[in-house]
Amino acid sequence: MVPQIEPAEEPPVTLTSPYDLLTGYLDFYRQTVLRKLEGMSDAELRNSRMPSGWSPLGLLKHLACVELRWLQWGFDGAPIDEPWADFKTRPGVWHVEPGETFEDVRRFFEEQCTRSRAIVAAARLDDQAATLGGTVPADEDRPTLIWILFHLLQEYARHAGQLDIARELADGAVGE
């Protein structure tokens, strides 16, 4: 019997608000990623089955840093000490410190998601990012919040699909 991962609940099909759809689907994918990682052994979380060398735990840390970079550092303009904490060297494979546990990385991920939700709730979809990479570009080069949210949505969708494959290769578990 193939183990099944229960899917997260999608936003209601009757939503018409772009804001509610975007934020609802971001939360859907955030939960999807966590569900795909739950129950994996520490060895499988740290192991890479891909030629590129990324691990499922590294992917979770990467997504936490993506939230931090795009919404806290880029959109909100907050100073961030280590916006690229998911890389030991850039470019390179996503990095997790040997002492970081799944719970550590999960907590970091959830903290970033909580901060992201607060930033988004305090802004309008047509607001522009304060900075990009710690610098203030010209207005025409600063993305709007709606663009950033769509970018995050595609990032999560792509990585959730990658986790489908990694999880099935790790222990045979499948599911949306």
Side-chain angles (χ1 to χ4, degrees):
M1 186 169 137
V2 175
Q4 289 283 330
I5 299 169
E6 290 297 315
E9 189 173 325
E10 285 188 72
V13 297
T14 55
L15 281 181
T16 58
S17 159
Y19 176 89
D20 291 341
L21 274 169
L22 280 170
T23 58
Y25 266 102
L26 274 172
D27 280 337
F28 166 77
Y29 279 113
R30 289 167 177 147
Q31 286 304 309
T32 296
V33 164
L34 290 176
R35 285 173 185 249
K36 289 180 186 302
L37 297 174
E38 289 172 358
M40 291 183 80
S41 70
D42 186 64
E44 287 295 350
L45 285 165
R46 293 175 181 281
N47 183 36
S48 177
R49 294 180 177 267
M50 307 300 159
S52 60
W54 65 266
S55 70
L57 190 57
L59 188 144
L60 182 62
K61 186 172 179 179
H62 168 68
L63 287 171
C65 289
V66 164
E67 294 263 357
L68 180 145
R69 281 192 294 270
W70 276 105
L71 288 165
Q72 293 174 56
W73 193 43
F75 183 77
D76 209 32
I80 302 294
D81 291 336
E82 286 190 83
W84 301 98
D86 49 339
F87 292 99
K88 194 169 195 168
T89 58
R90 286 184 47 219
V93 176
W94 300 316
H95 176 73
V96 178
E97 294 293 333
E100 285 182 295
T101 67
F102 173 68
E103 287 308 317
D104 294 335
V105 177
R106 180 187 183 129
R107 186 171 30 259
F108 177 60
F109 173 78
E110 290 174 339
E111 288 168 359
Q112 303 323 304
C113 293
T114 297
R115 287 187 184 111
S116 292
R117 285 185 199 97
I119 290 167
V120 171
R124 297 173 319 174
L125 292 177
D126 60 347
D127 288 347
Q128 287 185 292
T131 70
L132 280 179
T135 62
V136 181
D139 282 349
E140 63 271 11
D141 294 328
R142 291 188 293 149
T144 59
L145 179 58
I146 194 168
W147 188 95
I148 291 169
L149 294 177
F150 265 104
H151 178 78
L152 289 176
L153 191 59
Q154 68 79 26
E155 180 110 6
Y156 271 98
R158 181 168 29 93
H159 290 320
Q162 291 170 321
L163 277 177
D164 281 338
I165 295 165
R167 182 66 192 259
E168 187 171 355
L169 288 171
D171 62 9
V174 297
E176 293 187 29

